Amino acid sequence: MKHTLSVVVENHPGVLARVATLFRRRGYNIDSLAVGRTENPAVSRMTIVVEGDDVVIEQVTKQLHKLVETIKIYDITDQPTVDRELVLIKVKADAQARSEIIQIVDVFRGRIVDIGPNSLIIEATGDTGKIDAIEASLRPFGILELVRTGKVSMLRGAR
Amino acid sequence: MRMKGAEVLLRCLKEEGVEVIFGYPGGAVLPIYDALYSSEVKHVLVRHEQGAAHAADAYARVSGKVGVCLATSGPGATNLVTGIATAYMDSVPLVAFTGQVATHLIGRDAFQEADITGITLPITKHNYLVKRSEDLVRIIKEAFYIARTNRPGPVVVDLPRDIMEREMEFNGYPEEVNLRGYRVLKSCNMGQVLLAVEAIRQAERPVIYAGGGVISSGASEVLQELAIKMKIPVATTLMGIGCFPETHYLSLGMLGMHGTRYANYAVSESDLIIAVGVRFDDRVTGKITSFAPHAKVIHIDIDAAEIGKNFGVDIPIVGDVKQVLEEIVPRLEPREKFSEWHRVIDRWKEEFPLTYSESREPGRIKPQYVVEQIYYATQGNAIITTEVGQNQMWASQFYKFTRPRTFITSGGLGTMGFGLPAAIGAKIARPDMTVIDIAGDGSIQMNIQELCTAVEQRLPIVICILNNQYLGMVRQWQELFFGGRYSYTDISLQPDFVKLAEAYGAIGMRVKEAQDVAPALREAFSVTDRPVVIDFWVEREANVFPMVPPGESLYNMLGGEE
């Protein structure tokens, strides 16, 4: 099962390497990892999606806790959250295909952010399911390049 | 006050109470060595950086303080790696200072540059690269604090040359550490403690399984109190040896792959395991699914990540072992009588004692006999370091340890070459104690250059080589599991250890007959100003028994006696 961990760490150089090394050395499988600064510039937040059963997740969490620069870990898998991922897709688009692509992008509330002679770049945000769906819908046109940020999550409400 | 970075470093070490550094100079640490020239901190010059790490590690294990070693950048630093990994696996408080190229050269593949913080990431509790002078003092304070608190471990501090050379402001050593992600555990869950108390009250066939955590938290006395009050037999891990007197009726000795039969049977038949400061290593548990199949398991450990890592337990207690035991013991009423359980164990002890037969080879001694004679000669009043392999296992089986911090061995990593530099660190920590390295002829050659260090320091340590001209433990596995195909384990081509000792300025002796063992040891222990190497010619194909074959359950032990 996939678990989503929200990990608050010191915004120090090398912290990402520590986390990544820990996962690699202990053989845990990272599905996605997104990291960036928070409202406090001294602190970064990582959203880590990791695959494993409860025993594995417990170990991952405990091992992450042991890192001196880890401040807090929340397992938000079963919590009410807002989840988002951003994707940029460069898709083949000749004159004929364009209108059809634009329709698809509209349906997913995406945006065309660049137009080239034979291609479009599409930006879309949403939860992982939506991003998977837009990717699948555009695939028949020929995806030239695709980049996803990985999931970021935030708990709903006051917490 | 304005001082050079290197002078600040030494001031901080003094504030930390560091009395000795084990190190080796080089280009990047020249400013530090220049400051050491006029410092009160004692520096022990080793002959290889690996020796520095092991010596500092053993100094820490024996003294209970933080061990400190120092190496230059690049190859100096990478030579520490095995020593750092050894300390990491055995949870030893160690601070390793490494030189680094000047900050403006970092990342440019400069001469003797190595990314030592990157290299040591998976084998340190934490590590630092000091990039700004203003961080130096704080980092040193944090390094020592992290190394010795909670579950101890090694910390690396990488020191660029320009930071050590440049003048900086020194405003005193901080009293406190402020690390919001690292909190020292102060209490344990009382609900869990009460559950443990109840389980101990109700148990009929309990066994204590004690490890290195008992020794590092200083919990030996309270553990003995628990065992004696409740009449619970105690089996220890290799790292736990010495935490309970092996001469005591309740001692089961070591459990696991080369443990005693009675320890392994007791664990297998018990209805309650009190696991204290242990990590359920595969060398201890054997086949994990058949470990203690009938027992409820209490696991006490300061490292929450150890609980449930290898083995699911019934009553987990996260906390300092000593504190937790101090909560448990007063809540128990003493058990008055020895029970049927003790009679069962007594029968096993009678039926399957640790023993060995006479040597079949003329001019060769049984290695177990040598270890026994070392025990008789010292009356158990010595610090024993070991190399790794058969020598280590025989030392753990046939020497009776009665006090913590007297058996110094590389448990987790199994580092050949550990014993000699460890003996140096141990002797410097406890000059009043007899220090003996029980060695193999293979292992000793991995760091034999440290004989020079011991001679220079005038350390009367005794190195007992159990010389079977094999890489004995590997040969034993080849005999048992690879049809006797001794692929590259015959090391009959050897230096003359007596001459080699003499070449270094030590005393060399050779013993081939059993009757000469005790006199040789007596003579060696009378030397007071230099190391002694005794080359004991032992039976070539002697094996370490009993043995649980890898992957088997503790029930299935090979060999009652050797």
Side-chain angles (χ1 to χ4, degrees):
Chain A
M1 181 189 163
K2 279 181 187 164
H3 282 248
T4 306
L5 303 178
S6 181
V7 185
V8 182
V9 297
E10 298 285 354
N11 184 10
H12 290 168
V15 175
L16 179 60
R18 277 184 210 284
V19 171
T21 297
L22 190 153
F23 276 78
R24 181 195 53 73
R25 148 157 153 66
R26 300 214 176 251
Y28 306 137
N29 215 351
I30 302 185
D31 206 64
S32 105
L33 191 161
V35 53
R37 248 180 43 190
T38 64
E39 73 285 356
N40 176 353
V43 163
S44 299
R45 187 182 287 270
M46 295 182 178
T47 306
I48 305 174
V49 182
V50 56
E51 177 97 44
D53 59 21
D54 288 350
V55 177
V56 169
I57 301 303
E58 189 187 329
Q59 259 302 303
V60 169
T61 310
K62 284 172 165 179
Q63 294 292 348
L64 278 172
H65 258 301
K66 280 169 71 171
L67 296 179
V68 170
E69 286 153 323
T70 304
I71 301 167
K72 273 220 160 89
I73 301 172
Y74 306 94
D75 185 345
I76 54 173
T77 312
D78 300 321
Q79 305 282 320
T81 54
V82 177
D83 301 336
R84 288 291 181 273
E85 194 172 348
L86 169 71
V87 66
L88 293 174
I89 306 173
K90 189 183 283 174
V91 63
K92 259 194 212 165
D94 53 22
Q96 278 183 321
R98 268 184 199 198
S99 60
E100 204 180 330
I101 292 171
I102 289 167
Q103 277 179 14
I104 292 171
V105 172
D106 270 349
V107 169
F108 285 99
R109 294 196 189 85
R111 293 202 302 159
I112 313 271
V113 290
D114 184 62
I115 300 179
N118 296 304
S119 67
L120 296 171
I121 297 180
I122 291 135
E123 169 202 303
T125 58
D127 61 21
T128 305
K130 177 181 161 186
I131 303 297
D132 289 346
I134 191 169
E135 189 185 324
S137 306
L138 293 174
R139 193 162 293 283
F141 299 95
I143 292 177
L144 299 168
E145 213 178 316
L146 183 146
V147 54
R148 291 170 72 149
T149 56
K151 186 166 96 170
V152 291
S153 289
M154 189 177 273
L155 282 173
R156 290 179 183 276
R159 258 183 73 191
Chain B
M1 196 193 313
R2 287 193 77 76
M3 299 159 79
K4 280 188 175 174
E7 290 164 348
V8 169
L9 168 69
L10 287 170
R11 276 290 293 272
C12 294
L13 293 183
K14 216 180 140 201
E15 295 282 346
E16 274 296 338
V18 173
E19 287 163 357
V20 56
I21 302 177
F22 301 88
Y24 201 92
V29 284
L30 272 172
I32 302 174
Y33 272 85
D34 191 58
L36 270 167
Y37 198 65
S38 48
S39 163
E40 290 164 33
V41 178
K42 177 184 166 80
H43 176 272
V44 174
L45 176 67
V46 293
R47 294 304 190 267
H48 185 295
E49 289 89 349
Q50 189 186 342
H54 292 327
D57 168 320
Y59 176 89
R61 295 187 203 219
V62 168
S63 67
K65 299 176 191 164
V66 178
V68 180
C69 59
L70 169 63
T72 193
S73 66
T78 54
N79 276 348
L80 288 179
V81 166
T82 303
I84 294 168
T86 304
Y88 181 73
M89 290 294 276
D90 289 344
S91 308
V92 176
L94 179 80
V95 174
F97 291 102
T98 49
Q100 184 53 274
V101 300
T103 45
H104 69 276
L105 291 172
I106 290 175
R108 294 168 189 267
D109 299 323
F111 177 67
Q112 290 196 330
E113 182 189 356
D115 170 18
I116 199 65
T117 45
I119 290 168
T120 58
L121 214 53
I123 53 163
T124 47
K125 191 171 169 187
H126 195 55
N127 62 23
Y128 293 94
L129 166 60
V130 183
K131 282 186 170 164
R132 306 182 311 165
S133 295
E134 51 267 45
D135 295 334
L136 179 64
V137 174
R138 173 184 59 80
I139 285 175
I140 296 168
K141 177 77 188 177
E142 288 177 5
F144 278 88
Y145 181 74
I146 291 169
R148 71 167 170 260
T149 49
N150 285 344
R151 180 180 184 171
V155 178
V156 167
V157 182
D158 203 21
L159 302 164
R161 184 180 161 140
D162 54 328
I163 292 195
M164 291 293 98
E165 256 172 343
R166 194 183 308 143
E167 283 210 341
M168 56 177 280
E169 200 61 43
F170 179 64
N171 300 318
Y173 197 59
E175 301 248 313
E176 293 199 350
V177 167
N178 181 21
L179 288 162
R180 57 183 154 177
Y182 181 87
R183 272 175 230 97
V184 174
L185 206 60
K186 294 232 165 67
S187 60
C188 56
N189 183 319
M190 286 312 291
Q192 295 297 95
V193 165
L194 296 178
L195 283 178
V197 167
E198 200 43 43
I200 295 169
R201 269 194 196 124
Q202 286 177 7
E204 286 175 8
R205 301 188 308 278
V207 172
I208 291 171
Y209 153 33
V214 175
I215 294 171
S216 58
S217 89
S220 297
E221 278 180 31
V222 62
L223 181 98
Q224 288 177 38
E225 206 184 324
L226 170 68
I228 293 166
K229 187 175 185 182
M230 301 308 290
K231 299 193 164 45
I232 307 175
V234 182
T236 71
T237 66
L238 185 73
M239 294 301 297
I241 284 179
C243 78
F244 187 81
E246 294 183 329
T247 46
H248 195 282
Y249 169 71
L250 287 169
S251 172
L252 296 169
M254 185 168 73
L255 81 165
M257 181 174 275
H258 291 296
T260 61
R261 267 185 191 258
Y262 38 93
N264 285 346
Y265 288 175
V267 164
S268 300
E269 292 288 315
S270 70
D271 66 350
L272 178 72
I273 299 283
I274 308 163
V276 195
V278 298
R279 58 189 177 85
F280 292 86
D281 183 277
D282 55 282
R283 284 290 191 270
V284 166
T285 61
K287 189 178 173 187
I288 193 90
T289 47
S290 56
F291 180 74
H294 316 296
K296 193 176 240 191
V297 179
I298 301 169
H299 187 187
I300 308 168
D301 206 290
I302 191 139
D303 183 354
E306 282 308 330
I307 293 179
K309 186 181 81 179
N310 296 336
F311 188 74
V313 299
D314 302 285
I315 306 174
I317 307 179
V318 179
D320 175 68
V321 163
K322 187 177 177 202
Q323 282 176 12
V324 174
L325 291 178
E326 281 172 349
E327 294 290 352
I328 289 177
V329 176
R331 291 182 162 79
L332 291 161
E333 307 79 43
R335 190 161 287 165
E336 293 304 328
K337 284 186 185 154
F338 288 98
S339 64
E340 175 57 26
W341 178 228
H342 298 95
R343 281 185 283 280
V344 171
I345 291 171
D346 287 347
R347 275 201 297 277
W348 285 328
K349 281 186 174 175
E350 251 169 61
E351 210 173 328
F352 309 110
L354 261 184
T355 180
Y356 59 94
S357 56
E358 291 289 303
S359 177
R360 295 176 292 266
E361 285 178 63
R364 292 270 179 178
I365 315 155
K366 273 285 182 174
Q368 297 93 330
Y369 177 78
V370 176
V371 175
E372 268 183 357
Q373 290 301 313
I374 294 170
Y375 172 66
Y376 293 139
T378 56
Q379 288 299 301
N381 193 21
I383 293 171
I384 306 291
T385 70
T386 76
E387 301 293 339
V388 163
Q390 288 183 317
N391 60 84
Q392 179 184 30
M393 290 300 120
W394 284 318
S396 70
Q397 290 179 332
F398 290 92
Y399 193 96
K400 301 270 170 277
F401 293 89
T402 53
R403 280 183 289 166
R405 303 191 185 279
T406 56
F407 182 54
I408 308 300
T409 195
S410 167
L413 198 65
T415 310
M416 288 175 75
F418 176 79
L420 173 53
I424 291 170
K427 186 71 186 175
I428 287 171
R430 288 295 302 274
D432 56 319
M433 292 279 283
T434 301
V435 176
I436 300 153
D437 174 26
I438 296 183
D441 48 314
S443 254
I444 193 70
Q445 293 187 63
M446 284 217 179
N447 272 319
I448 200 154
Q449 75 287 344
E450 299 310 330
L451 262 180
C452 207
T453 309
V455 168
E456 186 172 68
Q457 297 292 324
R458 303 169 67 85
L459 300 177
I461 55 182
V462 179
I463 299 124
C464 297
I465 304 176
L466 307 179
N467 185 349
N468 56 14
Q469 295 172 291
Y470 274 121
L471 302 176
M473 188 59 96
V474 187
R475 186 211 56 76
Q476 176 171 336
W477 283 51
Q478 287 172 333
E479 178 191 326
L480 297 174
F481 311 118
F482 291 87
R485 288 154 55 87
Y486 296 166
S487 182
Y488 301 100
T489 45
D490 186 324
I491 50 166
S492 328
L493 179 61
Q494 281 183 334
D496 180 330
F497 287 112
V498 174
K499 284 187 186 164
L500 188 60
E502 285 165 358
Y504 275 116
I507 293 168
M509 295 157 73
R510 178 165 294 118
V511 178
K512 295 182 178 181
E513 301 289 341
Q515 71 212 26
D516 299 331
V517 173
L521 287 170
R522 265 200 303 281
E523 194 182 329
F525 293 145
S526 69
V527 175
T528 55
D529 62 343
R530 70 192 70 189
V532 180
V533 176
I534 315 180
D535 182 22
F536 291 101
W537 281 37
V538 298
E539 188 178 280
R540 290 207 69 198
E541 299 195 358
N543 284 333
V544 182
F545 283 130
M547 177 183 195
V548 179
E552 288 283 345
S553 89
L554 294 185
Y555 264 121
N556 301 330
M557 300 195 79
L558 299 176
E561 70 171 62
E562 150 57 16

